[in-house]
Amino acid sequence: MQYRTDKHGDALSILGYGCMRFSRKGAGVDIDKTEQEILAAFKAGVNYFDTAYIYPGSEAALGEILERNGLRDRVRIATKLPQYLIRSRASIDKYFEEELSRLRTDHVDYYLMHHLTDYSQWEKLRKAGIEDWIREKKASGAVRNIGFSYHGNTDNFLKILTAWDWDFCQIQYNYVDETAQAGVEGLRAAAARGIPVVIMEPLRGGKLVDKLPEEAKRLIAGDSRGWSPAEWGLRWLWNQPEVTVVLSGMNSLPMVEENVRTASQAVAGEFTDSDFALLEQVKGIIRARERVGCTGCRYCMPCPSGVDIPGIFSAWNTMYTESKFSGRAQYMQTVGLTVQPAAATQCIRCGKCEKHCPQGIPIREKLQQAHRDLLPFPYGIGVAVFRAIMLPRKKKSKTE
Ligand code: SF4
Ligand code: SF4
């Protein structure tokens, strides 16, 4: 494992463990499987574990696994204040205490204001008393480093970056999103202020790995570097010295092993002109095919009408990055034939989802386009008939 330093000189593994995508078993986290994966990563030198209040079961699972293996003081925990739920100083305390309890610890090493998208959110937090709260928690040692995770535009990122003496920040960044959100401009601005940057969505929720178009996979496979698609995505990030930690949501041992190997070999500045040229070709192939730039982050969920927004968008993109058959088959499995109806036609156009989408997707409009494309005339009838015959009557979709 290689390490880069935080603002205070502490060594952080350049590969961080993203705890949002822990394997699930039934309604909860698969603790035993997750434990094996976390231990494999720890033994390979990973010391940064990133979770959040709103990741279902994640904080509690991480706390349990670290406690039962005696690892709490040998790793760094990053977790996040659900700032969108904060109304008062008392609510900040309430969520923080709950997080400490879930994580079975008395301090958080890296604490983030979760999912800022606009400077006004920081203003709201200030009015609730966040500045005094941060000073007190840092003085007591309950919070060791304070930061924020970000999904808005570059301008607002730069405003928030200078609004407080941050110890670190976290941004979405990958070779497809080089200029989206905080982007390379935000990354460099943070680095220029001595603020370490943690990267989320480095592989765009798998889109730069398994879900890459076959043409892009063939291009990568034929390159003399011999790197896998995941390796290209991660190495592109570590090629930039401004990047401190790259989070990967690992949920299999092979994934841990591959990422750890890459993290032990990547070198800042290793990319050649031909490496950049290859990724430009890959980006061109992806952009030409996708219908919507959804990363599957699920910040738009739950929809009050039960629409499975990321599921529909994922299937729609699969139609164009793989095949129409694959996309429609995926739709049937994940959306169309589920007992609980989740179709785009259930959308009542309330707009709630669009306020939370970090990619700025016009979700209502795109859902209608996706529906028409995924379920043209004969398919839509077929799904409706199947639902009427095969699914429990009280659960039937009203709309298909
Ligand atoms: S606009 Fe439609 S999809 Fe979005 S939250 Fe409202 S009902 Fe759900
Ligand atoms: S529509 Fe937006 S918020 Fe919802 S999963 Fe996709 S990228 Fe995330």
Side-chain angles (χ1 to χ4, degrees):
M1 181 53 58
Q2 300 185 69
Y3 297 85
R4 293 181 184 176
T5 51
D6 73 2
K7 196 175 180 183
H8 310 289
D10 288 338
L12 299 179
S13 54
I14 61 170
L15 175 65
Y17 206 115
C19 301
M20 184 171 82
R21 300 181 203 270
F22 281 159
S23 297
R24 312 290 298 179
K25 189 177 188 181
V29 172
D30 186 337
I31 288 277
D32 293 336
K33 180 171 180 290
T34 300
E35 182 174 33
Q36 286 181 21
E37 290 150 6
I38 283 183
L39 289 179
F42 172 76
K43 283 177 189 151
V46 172
N47 68 0
Y48 190 93
F49 292 82
D50 172 85
T51 180
Y53 181 85
I54 62 158
Y55 301 164
S58 173
E59 287 182 325
L62 181 63
E64 182 179 340
I65 291 166
L66 294 180
E67 184 183 73
R68 71 189 189 190
N69 290 282
L71 296 183
R72 170 62 190 98
D73 294 329
R74 301 179 68 189
V75 300
R76 305 285 181 269
I77 293 177
T79 195
K80 311 183 187 85
L81 177 73
Q83 55 82 15
Y84 27 80
L85 302 176
I86 298 303
R87 300 287 176 267
S88 64
R89 162 74 194 236
S91 62
I92 303 172
D93 285 322
K94 171 183 161 297
Y95 288 113
F96 184 66
E97 291 303 321
E98 193 179 344
E99 292 186 286
L100 290 180
S101 167
R102 289 174 174 181
L103 288 161
R104 306 185 189 197
T105 186
D106 61 358
H107 69 279
V108 172
D109 303 289
Y110 296 85
Y111 200 51
L112 303 95
M113 309 294 113
H114 194 190
H115 200 277
L116 293 182
T117 55
D118 192 282
Y119 184 76
S120 63
Q121 293 161 322
W122 173 245
E123 289 282 284
K124 190 192 83 176
L125 286 168
R126 285 182 62 208
K127 286 189 186 126
I130 194 73
E131 290 173 319
D132 284 344
W133 187 91
I134 293 171
R135 286 188 197 99
E136 287 168 25
K137 293 301 176 199
K138 287 193 75 174
S140 71
V143 169
R144 305 284 163 88
N145 294 272
I146 195 76
F148 63 99
S149 67
Y150 187 76
H151 283 290
N153 62 28
T154 310
D155 288 347
N156 270 296
F157 176 80
L158 298 174
K159 276 176 84 174
I160 294 169
L161 193 66
T162 54
W164 186 256
D165 183 18
W166 302 107
D167 295 307
F168 71 113
C169 64
Q170 183 169 313
I171 62 172
Q172 172 175 322
Y173 191 56
N174 55 63
Y175 68 74
V176 173
D177 292 322
E178 187 172 2
T179 55
Q181 300 192 14
V184 64
E185 187 182 347
L187 171 74
R188 291 181 180 160
R193 293 177 66 83
I195 299 174
V197 182
V198 176
I199 304 298
M200 57 185 152
E201 301 280 7
L203 303 174
R204 241 181 169 223
K207 283 198 169 50
L208 305 185
V209 190
D210 298 340
K211 296 174 196 161
L212 264 184
E214 287 305 318
E215 187 185 347
K217 284 183 186 166
R218 280 196 296 276
L219 198 62
I220 285 175
D223 187 79
S224 60
R225 285 286 205 184
W227 295 341
S228 69
E231 203 168 349
W232 275 98
L234 296 175
R235 282 184 186 259
W236 179 82
L237 290 163
W238 288 319
N239 186 61
Q240 301 167 69
E242 298 91 349
V243 167
T244 307
V245 172
V246 176
L247 298 174
S248 176
M250 296 176 276
N251 52 23
S252 76
L253 285 175
M255 200 187 290
V256 172
E257 284 156 16
E258 181 184 356
N259 289 349
V260 161
R261 181 182 53 74
T262 308
S264 69
Q265 296 171 351
V267 178
E270 69 179 336
F271 267 48
T272 63
D273 288 347
S274 68
D275 293 330
F276 287 119
L278 180 120
L279 287 189
E280 281 306 313
Q281 284 181 271
V282 171
K283 280 195 271 188
I285 293 166
I286 295 170
R287 291 207 181 107
R289 292 169 179 232
E290 273 194 357
R291 284 301 180 268
V292 60
C294 171
T295 64
C297 68
R298 304 186 70 80
Y299 284 126
C300 54
M301 299 293 280
C303 158
S305 298
V307 180
D308 182 354
I309 302 165
I312 292 166
F313 287 161
S314 174
W316 194 27
N317 280 336
T318 299
M319 284 180 70
Y320 293 90
T321 55
E322 294 176 27
S323 69
K324 292 199 169 182
F325 176 81
S326 302
R328 289 191 176 121
Q330 181 181 327
Y331 178 84
M332 295 304 169
Q333 285 168 0
T334 60
V335 181
L337 301 181
T338 53
V339 172
Q340 202 64 41
T345 44
Q346 291 161 226
C347 174
I348 55 168
R349 304 189 69 84
C350 68
K352 175 179 165 278
C353 52
E354 291 178 12
K355 293 189 187 128
H356 298 287
C357 179
Q359 312 305 327
I361 295 169
I363 294 174
R364 289 170 284 189
E365 178 194 327
K366 291 289 177 189
L367 279 175
Q368 300 316 311
Q369 292 174 9
H371 185 78
R372 284 195 294 273
D373 215 6
L374 281 158
L375 291 180
F377 173 65
Y379 291 88
I381 297 287
V383 172
V385 169
F386 181 92
R387 296 191 66 87
I389 295 170
M390 301 299 292
L391 299 183
R393 200 163 184 76
K394 65 183 168 67
K395 304 276 189 182
K396 265 189 270 175
S397 168
K398 298 177 289 205
T399 48
E400 282 176 344

